[in-house]
Amino acid sequence: MPELPEVDLVARQLHRLLRGRTVEKAVLVRAKLARSTPPDVFSRQLRNSTISNVRRRGKYILIELNNSRTLLVHLRMSGRFMILDAEDDDPKFAHAVFQLTDGQRLVFDDQRHFGLMKIVKTADIVTSPEIAKLAPEPFSEEFSVDQFHRSLKASRRTLKEFLIDQTKVTGLGNIYAAEVMFAACIHPSVRTDRISRPRAERLFVAIIFTLEQALNMSKKGKLDPRNINGNYAPENGRWLVYDREGGPCESCSNPIKRITHGGRSTYFCSVCQRR
Ligand SMILES: [Zn+2]
């Protein structure tokens, strides 16, 4: 599932490709993609709208239109965008199709069917339930060591569960959470209210560092208008612990371990990462 750096890449690429272009007609092919907007309303509210801006908040992509509305998109497991020519066929899992006035069309393709869309008045974006509950953006002023440490102290969950909860920290998923905990040398099962201030500082720095590094790598990602999915080809050695069960720790050579929290795998080094 795409995490902050990947969603950021999709938003940047969509902005570059779509800004100033007009939707002639929008078809919600799979009604469940936008549960709160019936297909006829979806079509009506997007028809003849021009895309003025595409940005990101947390893992949501916000496609802002010139009719005071914003299309909120969450890619979830497998959602991706494609910009196709008139003669191209739609892909098998084309769940929303946006015919552009210049003859091309934007298609949302989602093999796993977990993607989400919603049309919200642009003025109401910050108070919409999806956005309002999100923790501060990691690169914003509001995200500080103080705020982060207070939030850790107020929770009794494990660190791993805390880090992937978008109401506590935005943008981290399974991959970057594992990398952050390794960088900070803290065990994934530690209870967050027991984390000291110096350790909270280490975690804070690790979050910023890990995301920044991934964002920088994503900027080398190639732009393929026919496959805008946030994946990018990193240089060698992308993950230090994620998906490396049994492999040697980069720091101490002991084998990387895997445990599960709430049904999801976490990878860590039991020597370098302390409780
Ligand atoms: Zn180690």
Side-chain angles (χ1 to χ4, degrees):
M1 172 141 53
E3 303 180 28
L4 184 146
E6 294 80 24
V7 176
D8 201 80
L9 176 62
V10 171
R12 275 185 275 127
Q13 293 188 332
L14 288 177
H15 180 78
R16 199 167 136 195
L17 292 165
L18 296 174
R19 188 172 48 145
R21 296 175 80 174
T22 299
V23 176
E24 186 178 275
K25 188 181 161 203
V27 181
L28 181 62
V29 181
R30 183 172 180 272
K32 282 181 176 172
L33 173 64
R35 286 172 191 274
S36 58
T37 318
D40 58 325
V41 178
F42 188 89
S43 296
R44 201 165 57 238
Q45 294 190 335
L46 295 177
R47 188 186 304 143
N48 298 325
S49 62
T50 298
I51 295 164
S52 48
N53 189 35
V54 184
R55 61 190 185 94
R56 173 194 66 72
R57 172 72 176 100
K59 296 187 208 170
Y60 286 95
I61 294 163
L62 307 176
I63 303 178
E64 297 173 351
L65 306 163
N66 71 341
N67 62 1
S68 306
R69 291 198 169 87
T70 293
L71 178 64
L72 202 84
V73 183
H74 200 301
L75 303 171
R76 303 289 292 276
M77 301 293 285
S78 61
R80 62 172 178 155
F81 284 98
M82 309 168 82
I83 295 177
L84 301 178
D85 294 324
E87 62 269 27
D88 294 324
D89 290 329
D90 279 336
K92 190 172 172 190
F93 302 103
H95 291 172
V97 179
F98 308 86
Q99 178 63 52
L100 304 172
T101 51
D102 55 24
Q104 285 195 309
R105 65 191 189 282
L106 174 71
V107 175
F108 182 75
D109 174 67
D110 187 11
Q111 193 182 350
R112 302 280 298 273
H113 294 47
F114 287 114
L116 294 170
M117 283 189 188
K118 188 180 181 181
I119 300 173
V120 182
K121 282 188 185 156
T122 301
D124 297 339
I125 277 287
V126 286
T127 53
S128 71
E130 294 82 2
I131 302 298
K133 67 182 181 189
L134 295 177
E137 280 293 314
F139 296 104
S140 71
E141 290 287 321
E142 296 105 293
F143 186 62
S144 64
V145 176
D146 283 343
Q147 182 272 332
F148 180 60
H149 191 217
R150 270 199 307 278
S151 184
L152 286 168
K153 284 282 170 207
S155 167
R156 298 163 73 87
R157 296 163 78 191
T158 66
L159 178 59
K160 166 64 190 308
E161 290 171 304
F162 180 94
L163 289 178
I164 62 171
D165 179 347
Q166 303 301 299
T167 68
K168 310 293 185 207
V169 181
T170 53
L172 297 177
N174 232 23
I175 298 174
Y176 295 110
E179 299 293 293
V180 162
M181 292 183 288
F182 178 74
C185 303
I186 304 179
H187 196 287
S189 300
V190 72
R191 242 176 63 176
T192 62
D193 57 343
R194 296 184 180 154
I195 293 176
S196 66
R197 171 81 185 200
R199 299 182 99 202
E201 283 173 19
R202 283 218 308 271
L203 274 170
F204 179 85
V205 171
I207 290 169
I208 300 290
F209 175 78
T210 302
L211 289 176
E212 199 161 61
Q213 209 179 29
L215 275 170
N216 285 337
M217 279 197 289
S218 81
K219 286 179 182 152
K220 297 174 192 164
K222 283 209 182 75
L223 176 61
D224 176 2
R226 305 175 74 91
N227 186 13
I228 305 166
N229 60 12
N231 292 344
Y232 52 89
E235 281 151 31
N236 294 337
R238 184 182 187 184
W239 314 125
L240 295 174
V241 286
Y242 179 76
D243 204 22
R244 290 196 53 226
E245 186 183 13
C249 168
E250 297 275 331
S251 169
C252 73
S253 301
N254 278 285
I256 299 297
K257 292 190 172 164
R258 181 175 69 90
I259 49 172
T260 55
H261 284 113
R264 304 193 65 192
S265 290
T266 301
Y267 301 85
F268 69 106
C269 173
S270 59
V271 178
C272 296
Q273 293 173 249
R274 314 304 305 199
R275 280 177 191 270

